[in-house]
Amino acid sequence: MIERGSGVAVWRQIEEALAADIAGGALQAGQQLPTELQLADRFGVNRHTIRRAVATLVERGLLRVEQGRGTFVQDNAIDYAISKRTRFTQNMAKQNLSSDIDILNSDTVPANAELAELLQVAAGDTLYRIKTLSKVEGRVVDYATLFFPAFRFPGLPEAYLRYRSVTRALAECGVADYTRRFTRVTARLPDAETVDYLGIPKNRPVLHVKSLNVDAAGAPVQYGVTCFNGDLVQLVMEQE
């Protein structure tokens, strides 16, 4: 019950009441929070007060907001294995989780100095750039930008559009297998684009991952920059 005049702000009392519901199991991991209107009726307050309490719980990591879906109790993070052969679909299938990839954009860009060195092409050479969203059980878990040397893989964007799989697209372009040369992980605040795509607060750090894949001869085939929602994913470094 809310105690007015107790010296504790009403929104703070609601925050603690909802936190107690989560701790006690009345609100379970992954469960959607009641609407602002329902919570306002429950506590006898206006929706602005509810909004402030919920925002604080999001900052505490007890709740998460998913754009277009609602507010949910935070659940256990999904394990994302990083190994010599890192494959998104296989990662999720091993955990019996459904997954999908949305292609946001596919275009070409000239290689800048950094990308030219990484992909072993000349500066200014054409690269395919593909931006994607990865979803697990309907939730967006990462936003990625992938680069491929265009001269080596004609038709790759069309293959990726058909398969939504780097492995299958590269196989169609003649690369039967590829391995991870490096994975570099940092935590950083998201930019505005990443906030929009992942549907996270702008003050919530993401796992920023740079990776390079190479073929059997050691030639680079794909460089990627991926921003993982750290509330939903934990990276697991596996030894071969």
Side-chain angles (χ1 to χ4, degrees):
M1 298 295 294
I2 299 301
E3 297 182 12
R4 301 181 187 277
S6 66
V8 179
V10 171
W11 68 267
R12 181 69 74 184
Q13 294 181 57
I14 295 171
E15 174 198 349
E16 294 306 324
L18 293 174
D21 285 349
I22 294 170
L27 289 172
Q28 298 185 358
Q31 181 179 341
Q32 187 168 8
L33 200 69
T35 66
E36 287 183 355
L37 183 59
Q38 290 170 325
L39 290 174
D41 287 342
R42 170 185 168 183
F43 292 107
V45 298
N46 60 46
R47 294 169 68 177
H48 175 76
T49 302
I50 295 297
R51 200 169 295 133
R52 184 170 182 183
V54 168
T56 305
L57 289 168
V58 170
E59 291 177 0
R60 288 172 58 180
L62 296 179
L63 299 175
R64 69 173 187 274
V65 178
E66 296 187 15
Q67 285 186 336
R69 298 190 67 211
T71 303
F72 296 81
V73 178
Q74 192 60 271
D75 47 10
N76 295 330
I78 298 163
D79 286 343
Y80 191 96
I82 303 293
S83 63
K84 186 176 181 180
R85 289 176 174 83
T86 299
R87 309 290 191 262
F88 169 69
T89 302
Q90 292 178 12
N91 258 333
M92 298 305 107
K94 287 179 180 178
Q95 301 174 68
N96 296 315
L97 298 172
S98 64
S99 61
D100 193 18
I101 293 177
D102 288 346
I103 299 174
L104 300 173
N105 185 54
S106 177
D107 60 7
T108 59
V109 294
N112 60 24
E114 178 187 14
L115 292 172
E117 181 177 1
L118 288 164
L119 292 170
Q120 294 180 10
V121 300
D125 278 1
T126 300
L127 304 178
Y128 295 129
R129 178 178 63 181
I130 302 174
K131 295 187 177 184
T132 67
L133 291 180
S134 298
K135 297 180 178 179
V136 177
E137 300 290 319
R139 297 175 295 175
V140 177
V141 297
D142 75 56
Y143 164 50
T145 303
L146 312 177
F147 298 92
F148 305 84
F151 75 90
R152 185 175 176 189
F153 303 123
L156 184 141
E158 292 76 16
Y160 190 86
L161 180 62
R162 284 195 301 275
Y163 300 125
R164 285 173 167 73
S165 164
V166 170
T167 301
R168 295 182 68 182
L170 284 174
E172 186 168 294
C173 294
V175 179
D177 188 27
Y178 61 92
T179 55
R180 183 65 59 90
R181 173 170 289 175
F182 69 72
T183 301
R184 297 169 181 162
V185 183
T186 57
R188 61 176 64 180
L189 291 176
D191 58 22
E193 190 173 54
T194 303
V195 166
D196 287 341
Y197 284 132
L198 295 185
I200 58 175
K202 62 183 179 180
N203 61 347
R204 182 63 54 84
V206 295
L207 300 174
H208 189 268
V209 178
K210 295 181 177 181
S211 60
L212 182 69
N213 289 316
V214 299
D215 64 15
V221 296
Q222 180 246 323
Y223 175 70
V225 179
T226 305
C227 292
F228 288 94
N229 184 339
D231 288 340
L232 300 181
V233 175
Q234 61 180 1
L235 303 181
V236 180
M237 304 301 174
E238 293 188 342
Q239 292 184 345
E240 296 297 320

